[in-house]
Amino acid sequence: MKFTRTKIPDIILCEPTFIGDERGYFVETFRKDLLENFINEKIHFCQDNESKSSNGVLRGLHYQLPPFAQSKLVRVIEGEVLDVVVDVRKKSSTFGQHLTQILSSENKKQLFIPKGFAHGFIVLSTTAVFAYKVDNRYSAKHECGIAFNDPKLNIDWKLSLNAIRYSKKDGVNPSFEFAQYFED
């Protein structure tokens, strides 16, 4: 498995080794020891989540505040998404910056997203199955969001606003300016 720091250095691009032939393929999607050695901290994933969405569905931008903040390891099992991560750590040198990455069943790329980042994705293929590990349970009381179409963030979601489908809840998320930030 290959790990690469992105333009926001705490976000790690994980590229598993892919072994394929005429019979199919094998890929090791997670190695706790290798990721822990690369980021130099312990990871305690406690839950796996999976969602299936159709073309144009946008989920995000979501995060949880302490003590229920979550680190995530995200990947696509089927299809293709544009994955988006926004730094909401007030004291970070990359505060307010975002990163985009195409994740697909073809490229097998994954992102490790530590606590302190808002996360979302939009489905670019006909459908997509999105999977992620988290290191803390869901808490509605600690859940936060940021408007996906905030002009300050200026995220290119690769689809026109008319083609994007999102939940009522995601449609009323505050702008980045009025979001809750990580103060750590």
Side-chain angles (χ1 to χ4, degrees), residues 1-63:
M1 188 168 287
K2 177 182 172 188
F3 300 105
T4 308
R5 294 198 181 275
T6 63
K7 71 176 187 172
I8 300 176
D10 291 334
I11 305 296
I12 309 300
L13 178 64
C14 308
E15 298 177 87
T17 303
F18 181 85
I19 302 167
D21 60 25
E22 69 281 350
R23 300 170 298 152
Y25 70 86
F26 172 83
V27 63
E28 187 176 74
T29 61
F30 175 64
R31 276 275 306 270
K32 180 179 167 83
D33 61 328
L34 296 178
L35 184 56
E36 285 179 342
N37 286 340
F38 188 82
I39 64 173
N40 200 29
E41 67 180 72
K42 294 289 182 191
I43 300 169
H44 303 286
F45 289 128
C46 62
Q47 183 175 321
D48 281 346
N49 301 316
E50 181 177 303
S51 68
K52 182 174 184 176
S53 306
S54 55
N55 181 264
V57 169
L58 185 145
R59 298 184 185 270
L61 297 158
H62 306 142
Y63 57 104

Side-chain angles (χ1 to χ4, degrees), residues 136-153:
N136 210 342
R137 66 182 172 84
Y138 172 74
S139 170
K141 182 179 172 186
H142 296 85
E143 182 180 30
C144 296
I146 299 171
F148 71 90
N149 57 351
D150 184 333
K152 178 178 167 61
L153 295 177

Side-chain angles (χ1 to χ4, degrees), residues 149-168:
N149 57 351
D150 184 333
K152 178 178 167 61
L153 295 177
N154 194 31
I155 298 168
D156 178 3
W157 290 97
K158 305 296 184 201
L159 295 177
S160 70
L161 191 56
N162 294 339
I164 297 175
R165 296 183 294 148
Y166 50 90
S167 69
K168 288 180 185 177

Side-chain angles (χ1 to χ4, degrees), residues 63-64 69-71 86-89 113-118 182:
Y63 57 104
Q64 292 188 171
Q70 296 175 324
S71 294
V86 179
D87 192 343
V88 294
R89 301 169 302 166
I113 305 162
K115 294 169 177 69
F117 290 87
F182 272 65

Side-chain angles (χ1 to χ4, degrees), residues 93-111:
S93 63
T94 56
F95 174 70
Q97 293 182 29
H98 72 274
L99 170 104
T100 61
Q101 176 67 54
I102 297 288
L103 302 178
S104 73
S105 53
E106 293 295 314
N107 69 24
K108 306 285 187 228
K109 293 179 180 179
Q110 303 175 50
L111 286 178

